[in-house]
Amino acid sequence: MTAPTQSSVLSPQSSAYEAVIGLECHVQLATNSKMFCGCPTVYSGAAPNTHVCPICLGMPGVLPVINRKAVEYTLLTGLALNSEIPEATKFDRKNYPYPDLVKGYQISQYDMPLVKGGWFEITVGAITRRIRLERVHLEEDTGKLTHIAGGSLVDFNRSGVPLMEMVSQPDLRTPAETHAYLLTLRAILRTLGVSDADMEKGQLRCDVNVSMRPVGQEELGTKVEVKNLNSFRAVQRSLEFEIARQTEALERGERIPQETRGWVEERGVTVTQRSKEEAHDYRYFPEPDLPPLFIERAWIDELRARLPELPDARRVRYMQSFGLSAYDAAALSTDQSAAQLFEDTVNAGADPKKAANWIQNDVSRLHDGHVPTAQHLAELIGMVDQGVIGITAARQVLTEVSSTGRGPRELVDELGLAQVSDSSALEEAARAVIDANPAAVADYKSGKLTAINRLKGELMKATRGKANPAVAEELLHKLLD
Ligand SMILES: [Zn+2]
């Protein structure tokens, strides 16, 4: 079997096996301070080991203090995901030796997580499926190792940043569903304001579990875990690789060993790292320096009342109130900034379907950080509607508006892009085009009416795209008939 395309993996006919996929996502919470100390959480660009204190450096004799905001953010997430919030919870020590873990243990949660169960819906194409969660718990991030020639460097600025671990049930079946899961999850986290969940910045990191089983079989196959995936692309590619690798092995009659594998980006392969640890390898025990936590029901009620409109509700509203297609509504509602621009542009008077199109196509292709204001975008869409400018000119104006921040009307005047809709102004150019293209004219006169398109193309070229195409065509017909 050669490297599969996505569709061959997804197609049940091409394989007697189906994939069973589960995700563990680590999400850095957007609190001001770390999980158990007062150090700042924003370390991007800071010199190594400058955002540290005796607590997050694991010095003996210090005591951790629970960050209330991190607990609140985790509870909010649980409420948004239809989860159960148990009344009692506690922290545990997860013991393992690793150079980026200063204390030799990580404060995490073992058998009493803050959040249990839950679900959310994902949409792939026209199909919406409910994906269940197993749990969401709170822990602390580790330091960061950088490997150099001759050794490794460690930076503890990240050590102790609040980390929310979200474990899904193995309900996903394809790389496309896994992608939709991550996009939807990111949208929910951003909407709640609990994390920026930017994978490129390491704020959202994933481990995927994948096993294969014969189609129709209930029992799960042996799962392989692929660790530390830091981009949407790495998740997608590593899954495609694992599905192909495991399918081939099973078809050869081999057994899949349970193991942890790593993704090697440059080679596009996963490689064995170690056999999978069991929970007892970590010697979990209750964290003696922290009291158990009891979550008051009144706090839960207060947080529930604060929940914003979530992406799924937004998707349904976009379809019902604005008449968007399921595809457009799903795409916009899972992108917080696009959704905001869309709503503002509609509020500024633009047609919703046209605004959705512009935002998903032309605006999304603009360079990073250069996005038009809703007011300018609505104005530009209006100018196209009114025939003031053509679509090609509008795209040019959009780029200018976005990079300069100047208004579209001013730019259209300055760049001389206004469309010519006055047929008397086009007549001279139209006559010249007719004189210069006798073959097309002869075709037209002999009954090949589509020859008008060639003449119209020439006229558009002669006016450098400024002729209103409808007016140009009508004028040519008038002059020829
Ligand atoms: Zn600290």
Side-chain angles (χ1 to χ4, degrees):
M1 190 174 159
T2 51
T5 60
Q6 185 178 315
S7 59
S8 74
V9 170
L10 302 186
S11 161
Q13 293 91 333
S14 70
S15 166
Y17 296 93
E18 71 169 350
V20 175
I21 302 165
L23 248 73
E24 277 182 36
C25 293
H26 287 95
V27 178
Q28 283 187 340
L29 294 176
T31 54
N32 292 327
S33 58
K34 290 186 181 179
M35 189 61 228
F36 300 113
C37 64
C39 292
T41 51
V42 178
Y43 52 77
S44 172
N49 301 305
T50 51
H51 291 192
V52 292
C53 73
I55 293 175
C56 56
L57 282 176
M59 298 292 176
V62 295
L63 284 175
V65 176
I66 299 171
N67 183 330
R68 183 184 167 96
K69 202 76 186 172
V71 174
E72 181 183 309
Y73 282 176
T74 307
L75 296 177
L76 264 177
T77 305
L79 291 171
L81 299 176
N82 312 291
S83 310
E84 180 201 339
I85 313 286
E87 281 192 53
T89 179
K90 69 174 170 63
F91 288 92
D92 300 276
R93 282 191 186 179
K94 179 181 183 179
N95 299 282
Y96 65 98
Y98 206 68
D100 61 7
L101 192 64
V102 270
K103 299 194 289 283
Y105 63 84
Q106 179 188 32
I107 303 181
S108 180
Q109 296 194 287
Y110 180 46
D111 53 347
M112 294 173 72
L114 263 170
V115 170
K116 280 186 181 168
W119 55 267
F120 63 96
E121 287 182 336
I122 60 163
T123 301
V124 176
I127 297 172
T128 296
R129 286 189 59 216
R130 180 176 288 198
I131 308 299
R132 294 166 305 153
L133 292 154
E134 188 184 312
R135 59 188 277 159
V136 180
H137 73 247
L138 199 46
E139 59 189 33
E140 54 180 338
D141 210 342
T142 58
K144 199 170 183 179
L145 287 177
T146 305
H147 303 288
I148 54 160
S152 295
L153 302 171
V154 63
D155 174 10
F156 289 112
N157 285 348
R158 196 177 75 178
S159 171
V161 168
L163 209 55
M164 186 167 69
E165 180 171 320
M166 315 183 71
V167 185
S168 85
Q169 296 278 6
D171 285 350
L172 298 160
R173 294 292 173 268
T174 64
E177 285 188 358
T178 309
H179 186 73
Y181 175 95
L182 282 171
L183 276 180
T184 310
L185 184 64
R186 186 179 71 177
I188 293 170
L189 297 167
R190 287 181 176 176
T191 304
L192 292 171
V194 302
S195 176
D196 292 335
D198 190 334
M199 288 193 92
E200 279 64 44
K201 291 182 183 155
Q203 294 162 337
L204 171 60
R205 318 193 289 267
C206 295
D207 304 337
V208 299
N209 288 302
V210 54
S211 64
M212 303 301 294
R213 67 180 172 192
V215 171
Q217 178 184 300
E218 270 298 299
E219 194 193 334
L220 297 175
T222 308
K223 73 177 177 188
V224 167
E225 185 175 31
V226 185
K227 284 269 207 207
N228 289 324
L229 298 164
N230 295 328
S231 70
F232 285 98
R233 193 173 136 79
V235 171
Q236 178 99 6
R237 289 178 68 209
S238 63
L239 273 176
E240 285 168 2
F241 178 85
E242 268 305 300
I243 288 169
R245 183 186 73 83
Q246 292 183 30
T247 302
E248 276 177 50
L250 290 168
E251 280 170 351
R252 283 196 302 265
E254 290 170 20
R255 205 177 54 84
I256 305 286
Q258 180 167 341
E259 61 179 349
T260 298
R261 297 175 74 91
W263 171 243
V264 186
E265 183 78 39
E266 311 77 60
R267 289 165 51 210
V269 298
T270 66
V271 293
T272 299
Q273 284 188 329
R274 55 175 187 255
S275 60
K276 173 83 181 126
E277 307 86 349
E278 298 291 336
H280 62 248
D281 293 329
Y282 291 119
R283 298 288 189 270
Y284 280 100
F285 62 84
E287 170 56 56
D289 289 340
L290 291 171
L293 265 190
F294 295 92
I295 311 294
E296 285 177 17
R297 296 299 96 176
W299 193 19
I300 297 296
D301 294 341
E302 187 195 309
L303 293 175
R304 199 189 298 279
R306 254 177 52 193
L307 282 178
E309 180 187 45
L310 294 166
D312 198 45
R314 202 189 278 157
R315 179 177 64 84
V316 172
R317 181 166 62 86
Y318 284 0
M319 290 166 71
Q320 289 174 350
S321 312
F322 298 131
L324 297 192
S325 68
Y327 177 86
D328 285 349
L332 279 177
S333 61
T334 48
D335 183 336
Q336 177 79 359
S337 53
Q340 192 62 53
L341 181 60
F342 169 70
E343 297 202 19
D344 293 347
T345 305
V346 172
N347 284 336
D351 173 81
K353 286 185 196 172
K354 287 177 183 156
N357 264 331
W358 273 92
I359 290 168
Q360 287 185 85
N361 298 308
D362 299 283
V363 174
S364 73
R365 279 195 289 267
L366 292 169
H367 295 301
D368 273 354
H370 291 305
V371 172
T373 64
Q375 197 63 44
H376 284 163
L377 184 57
E379 205 176 310
L380 188 64
I381 293 169
M383 288 168 84
V384 178
D385 279 352
Q386 293 150 18
V388 177
I389 47 171
I391 195 77
T392 313
R395 292 202 171 103
Q396 190 186 338
V397 174
L398 176 71
T399 309
E400 290 289 322
V401 164
S402 308
S403 58
T404 63
R406 292 167 62 197
R409 240 167 246 287
E410 185 190 341
L411 284 162
V412 166
D413 287 346
E414 188 178 301
L415 301 170
L417 290 171
Q419 193 162 255
V420 181
S421 300
D422 175 0
S423 63
S424 61
L426 292 173
E427 198 166 325
E428 194 185 331
R431 287 189 191 281
V433 163
I434 287 171
D435 289 345
N437 293 277
V441 172
D443 282 351
Y444 179 81
K445 295 216 159 152
S446 69
K448 279 191 205 155
L449 297 181
T450 51
I452 199 84
N453 291 330
R454 272 146 65 199
L455 294 168
K456 190 170 83 177
E458 289 301 320
L459 181 52
M460 294 303 289
K461 221 186 282 173
T463 59
R464 285 183 296 133
K466 286 195 288 184
N468 178 325
V471 173
E473 186 167 336
E474 204 186 287
L475 175 65
L476 287 166
H477 278 300
K478 205 181 87 188
L479 293 174
L480 291 168
D481 290 345

